[in-house]
Amino acid sequence: MATSKPNIRGTWNSKIGFILAAAGSAVGLGNIWRYPTVMAENGGAAFLFIYAMLVFIVGYPVMVAELSVGRRTQKNPVGAFKALSKNKIFTIAGFWCVLCGIAILSFYVIIAGWTISYFFEQIFFHAGLHDWAAWVSDTENGWLNAAVAIMFMAVTITIVLGGVSQGIERAVRLLMPLLVVIIGILIVYVMFQPGASEGLTEYLVPDFSAINTDLILAAMGQAFFSLSLGMGALITYGSYLSKKENIPEAAAMVTVFDVGIAFMAGLLIMPTIYMAQAQGVVIFDADGNLVAGTALIFQVLPELFHEMGGLIGLIFGASFFFLLSIAALTSAISLLEVPTSYVIDEHGIRRKKSAILIGGIITIIALFVAFDTSLIGTIDFIFSVIGLPLGGLFVSIFLAYFWKTENARLELEKGFDDINSTIFWPVYKVFIKYICPVLIAAILISTIVEAIR
Ligand code: PHE
């Protein structure tokens, strides 16, 4: 008997399952590693202000767009664009999404690997094994970076192999809430430490003179990265979503949850940076730039846990990095799911083979990053800061002018019966047709102009 079953498309088991999976995709290193780093480098509160605006003005509408395109077509980004429009430009846009997924995951796993290394660093340090702690936390050790990244990638591939509800949904249900609780407790602890209030001021009192095109571009890149937008992750997740669900409502929950966690991460990390400074750790160089760069949180947070000391330090340190690696895992899953679902849908290859094939390719690229971590900044800039907003621009133009808003409305109506009688629809139309594409394009173009000047 033939054993090759057709690829049956999975669906989420429950509404909360979907929300958690989408929130699991959104909440990750973007919130706890990338956001504080980019924010601290870009003037603290001014960045927060622009970032939050862009999340709601551009991010949320694009999220609704991605989810509705995904649910309508039940396909990966390439297949979804193809299904709704003959225009070849969008097929290319679909490929761009797949490429961004591969590129972003190739550095994402390296940082995710660091979360594993630092989990052990905490255990070793608190056990008094300081040499071991120093060895395992050396982010410049290429072999170590490679080893932990391969471990992390293996787990990601295994979950994606398991498919949607068994693998992804089960993994996120418990661990997300736990992360929020831990961060909350740490914030309270940090607030009482010397230096903390200075960090808090820097984080919450905006200096609007810090706003420039670099900051705005960085904030837009961060908004897309953090919400998992612009590379079809939510087209793909939307393709597993039931027609009963209310997309605008689900998207609102995911957005608020994601921004909430980023905001909390800032509340934890900015005061921690200043607290570390108060203790003599050099955080800024003579020009006022952060010395730590991409490794920022991997330098200040472990210090914080060392400072707490004893069993408390161990418990918080180890569980923080453990939960951070879980948050990274649920995001990495969605990054791998996009190219994998593309190979499954468009090339008819079974899920297992596809996940191993794509995961293998990404692991190989990641090895280069493991040995040269300066590649992180470059790949991140091309594929996250430029690439994701570009993908988002395509999605909004696609919905508004090719698929057409009326068709989108018919899709959104499923699970949201009274869409016509609410303020949501007329406002949404203006955003997706005009505000989103114009704003994204304006920011991208002004960056290019600035760069060549
Ligand atoms: N949003 C994820 C995070 O914040 C990263 C990600 C980006 C996931 C793009 C999927 C798509 O860590």
mmCIF file of all heavy atoms in Angstrom, residues 25-31 108 225-229 231 233 331 334-335 388, ligand 1:
data_model
loop_
_atom_site.group_PDB
_atom_site.id
_atom_site.type_symbol
_atom_site.label_atom_id
_atom_site.label_comp_id
_atom_site.label_asym_id
_atom_site.label_seq_id
_atom_site.Cartn_x
_atom_site.Cartn_y
_atom_site.Cartn_z
ATOM 1 N N SER A 25 5.359 33.569 18.415
ATOM 2 C CA SER A 25 6.202 33.995 17.299
ATOM 3 C C SER A 25 6.678 35.422 17.525
ATOM 4 O O SER A 25 7.849 35.743 17.345
ATOM 5 C CB SER A 25 5.408 33.907 15.992
ATOM 6 O OG SER A 25 6.066 34.628 14.985
ATOM 7 N N ALA A 26 5.749 36.274 17.940
ATOM 8 C CA ALA A 26 6.081 37.687 18.113
ATOM 9 C C ALA A 26 7.059 37.889 19.263
ATOM 10 O O ALA A 26 8.081 38.563 19.126
ATOM 11 C CB ALA A 26 4.805 38.496 18.334
ATOM 12 N N VAL A 27 6.742 37.304 20.404
ATOM 13 C CA VAL A 27 7.584 37.527 21.582
ATOM 14 C C VAL A 27 8.810 36.637 21.506
ATOM 15 O O VAL A 27 8.696 35.421 21.414
ATOM 16 C CB VAL A 27 6.800 37.206 22.872
ATOM 17 C CG1 VAL A 27 7.720 37.329 24.073
ATOM 18 C CG2 VAL A 27 5.620 38.137 23.001
ATOM 19 N N GLY A 28 9.951 37.244 21.512
ATOM 20 C CA GLY A 28 11.171 36.443 21.429
ATOM 21 C C GLY A 28 12.370 37.317 21.701
ATOM 22 O O GLY A 28 12.278 38.304 22.440
ATOM 23 N N LEU A 29 13.473 36.975 21.066
ATOM 24 C CA LEU A 29 14.677 37.769 21.259
ATOM 25 C C LEU A 29 14.457 39.203 20.813
ATOM 26 O O LEU A 29 15.119 40.115 21.287
ATOM 27 C CB LEU A 29 15.812 37.145 20.463
ATOM 28 C CG LEU A 29 16.176 35.736 20.930
ATOM 29 C CD1 LEU A 29 17.155 35.096 19.954
ATOM 30 C CD2 LEU A 29 16.784 35.783 22.330
ATOM 31 N N GLY A 30 13.517 39.392 19.896
ATOM 32 C CA GLY A 30 13.192 40.738 19.437
ATOM 33 C C GLY A 30 12.813 41.642 20.595
ATOM 34 O O GLY A 30 13.195 42.809 20.642
ATOM 35 N N ASN A 31 12.060 41.113 21.541
ATOM 36 C CA ASN A 31 11.596 41.929 22.663
ATOM 37 C C ASN A 31 12.675 42.098 23.720
ATOM 38 O O ASN A 31 12.817 43.166 24.302
ATOM 39 C CB ASN A 31 10.404 41.273 23.362
ATOM 40 C CG ASN A 31 9.293 40.956 22.398
ATOM 41 O OD1 ASN A 31 9.493 40.174 21.460
ATOM 42 N ND2 ASN A 31 8.154 41.568 22.585
ATOM 43 N N TYR A 108 19.533 34.457 14.131
ATOM 44 C CA TYR A 108 18.687 34.323 15.318
ATOM 45 C C TYR A 108 19.148 33.131 16.178
ATOM 46 O O TYR A 108 19.178 33.209 17.399
ATOM 47 C CB TYR A 108 17.241 34.129 14.860
ATOM 48 C CG TYR A 108 16.182 34.480 15.872
ATOM 49 C CD1 TYR A 108 15.716 35.790 15.976
ATOM 50 C CD2 TYR A 108 15.634 33.520 16.718
ATOM 51 C CE1 TYR A 108 14.733 36.129 16.885
ATOM 52 C CE2 TYR A 108 14.649 33.852 17.625
ATOM 53 C CZ TYR A 108 14.200 35.155 17.706
ATOM 54 O OH TYR A 108 13.234 35.490 18.614
ATOM 55 N N PHE A 225 10.145 43.542 13.093
ATOM 56 C CA PHE A 225 10.840 42.367 13.632
ATOM 57 C C PHE A 225 10.081 41.812 14.826
ATOM 58 O O PHE A 225 9.812 40.625 14.927
ATOM 59 C CB PHE A 225 12.259 42.757 14.053
ATOM 60 C CG PHE A 225 13.134 41.594 14.424
ATOM 61 C CD1 PHE A 225 13.963 41.008 13.481
ATOM 62 C CD2 PHE A 225 13.121 41.080 15.715
ATOM 63 C CE1 PHE A 225 14.774 39.925 13.817
ATOM 64 C CE2 PHE A 225 13.920 40.004 16.067
ATOM 65 C CZ PHE A 225 14.754 39.426 15.106
ATOM 66 N N SER A 226 9.739 42.721 15.730
ATOM 67 C CA SER A 226 9.137 42.263 16.970
ATOM 68 C C SER A 226 7.757 41.643 16.744
ATOM 69 O O SER A 226 7.394 40.671 17.396
ATOM 70 C CB SER A 226 9.033 43.435 17.939
ATOM 71 O OG SER A 226 8.574 42.973 19.166
ATOM 72 N N LEU A 227 6.993 42.197 15.815
ATOM 73 C CA LEU A 227 5.654 41.647 15.567
ATOM 74 C C LEU A 227 5.688 40.483 14.574
ATOM 75 O O LEU A 227 4.653 39.973 14.177
ATOM 76 C CB LEU A 227 4.722 42.740 15.056
ATOM 77 C CG LEU A 227 4.397 43.858 16.057
ATOM 78 C CD1 LEU A 227 3.652 44.997 15.381
ATOM 79 C CD2 LEU A 227 3.580 43.326 17.226
ATOM 80 N N SER A 228 6.873 40.074 14.156
ATOM 81 C CA SER A 228 7.027 38.978 13.172
ATOM 82 C C SER A 228 6.366 39.306 11.850
ATOM 83 O O SER A 228 5.762 38.446 11.218
ATOM 84 C CB SER A 228 6.430 37.658 13.692
ATOM 85 O OG SER A 228 7.021 37.270 14.876
ATOM 86 N N LEU A 229 6.462 40.557 11.418
ATOM 87 C CA LEU A 229 5.783 40.958 10.190
ATOM 88 C C LEU A 229 6.752 41.097 9.033
ATOM 89 O O LEU A 229 7.949 41.246 9.237
ATOM 90 C CB LEU A 229 5.099 42.309 10.397
ATOM 91 C CG LEU A 229 3.988 42.315 11.434
ATOM 92 C CD1 LEU A 229 3.503 43.737 11.638
ATOM 93 C CD2 LEU A 229 2.855 41.414 11.007
ATOM 94 N N MET A 231 7.559 39.070 6.585
ATOM 95 C CA MET A 231 8.172 37.922 5.916
ATOM 96 C C MET A 231 7.210 36.746 5.851
ATOM 97 O O MET A 231 7.619 35.610 5.657
ATOM 98 C CB MET A 231 9.460 37.519 6.624
ATOM 99 C CG MET A 231 9.297 37.320 8.099
ATOM 100 S SD MET A 231 10.390 36.071 8.749
ATOM 101 C CE MET A 231 9.611 34.594 8.149
ATOM 102 N N ALA A 233 5.405 35.300 8.092
ATOM 103 C CA ALA A 233 5.197 34.373 9.214
ATOM 104 C C ALA A 233 3.718 34.351 9.579
ATOM 105 O O ALA A 233 3.145 33.295 9.867
ATOM 106 C CB ALA A 233 6.033 34.791 10.423
ATOM 107 N N SER A 331 9.727 31.660 18.519
ATOM 108 C CA SER A 331 9.885 32.561 17.371
ATOM 109 C C SER A 331 10.643 31.855 16.250
ATOM 110 O O SER A 331 10.286 31.982 15.072
ATOM 111 C CB SER A 331 10.660 33.816 17.766
ATOM 112 O OG SER A 331 10.001 34.485 18.806
ATOM 113 N N SER A 334 8.515 29.805 14.062
ATOM 114 C CA SER A 334 7.745 30.491 13.021
ATOM 115 C C SER A 334 8.651 30.924 11.871
ATOM 116 O O SER A 334 8.232 30.957 10.725
ATOM 117 C CB SER A 334 6.986 31.681 13.603
ATOM 118 O OG SER A 334 7.868 32.694 14.009
ATOM 119 N N LEU A 335 9.902 31.239 12.203
ATOM 120 C CA LEU A 335 10.838 31.602 11.131
ATOM 121 C C LEU A 335 11.109 30.396 10.231
ATOM 122 O O LEU A 335 11.206 30.515 9.019
ATOM 123 C CB LEU A 335 12.150 32.124 11.729
ATOM 124 C CG LEU A 335 12.102 33.554 12.270
ATOM 125 C CD1 LEU A 335 13.244 33.803 13.249
ATOM 126 C CD2 LEU A 335 12.170 34.575 11.140
ATOM 127 N N LEU A 388 12.202 43.517 6.172
ATOM 128 C CA LEU A 388 10.854 43.301 6.708
ATOM 129 C C LEU A 388 9.894 44.441 6.353
ATOM 130 O O LEU A 388 8.779 44.182 5.894
ATOM 131 C CB LEU A 388 10.897 43.060 8.222
ATOM 132 C CG LEU A 388 11.665 41.802 8.665
ATOM 133 C CD1 LEU A 388 11.643 41.653 10.179
ATOM 134 C CD2 LEU A 388 11.098 40.560 8.012
HETATM 135 N N1 PHE B 1 9.267 38.413 16.372
HETATM 136 C C1 PHE B 1 10.366 37.582 16.684
HETATM 137 C C2 PHE B 1 11.045 38.147 17.914
HETATM 138 O O1 PHE B 1 10.653 39.163 18.393
HETATM 139 C C3 PHE B 1 11.317 37.391 15.550
HETATM 140 C C4 PHE B 1 10.665 37.091 14.250
HETATM 141 C C5 PHE B 1 10.789 37.965 13.200
HETATM 142 C C6 PHE B 1 9.894 35.928 14.106
HETATM 143 C C7 PHE B 1 10.136 37.735 11.998
HETATM 144 C C8 PHE B 1 9.249 35.686 12.903
HETATM 145 C C9 PHE B 1 9.367 36.587 11.858
HETATM 146 O O2 PHE B 1 11.992 37.619 18.395
#
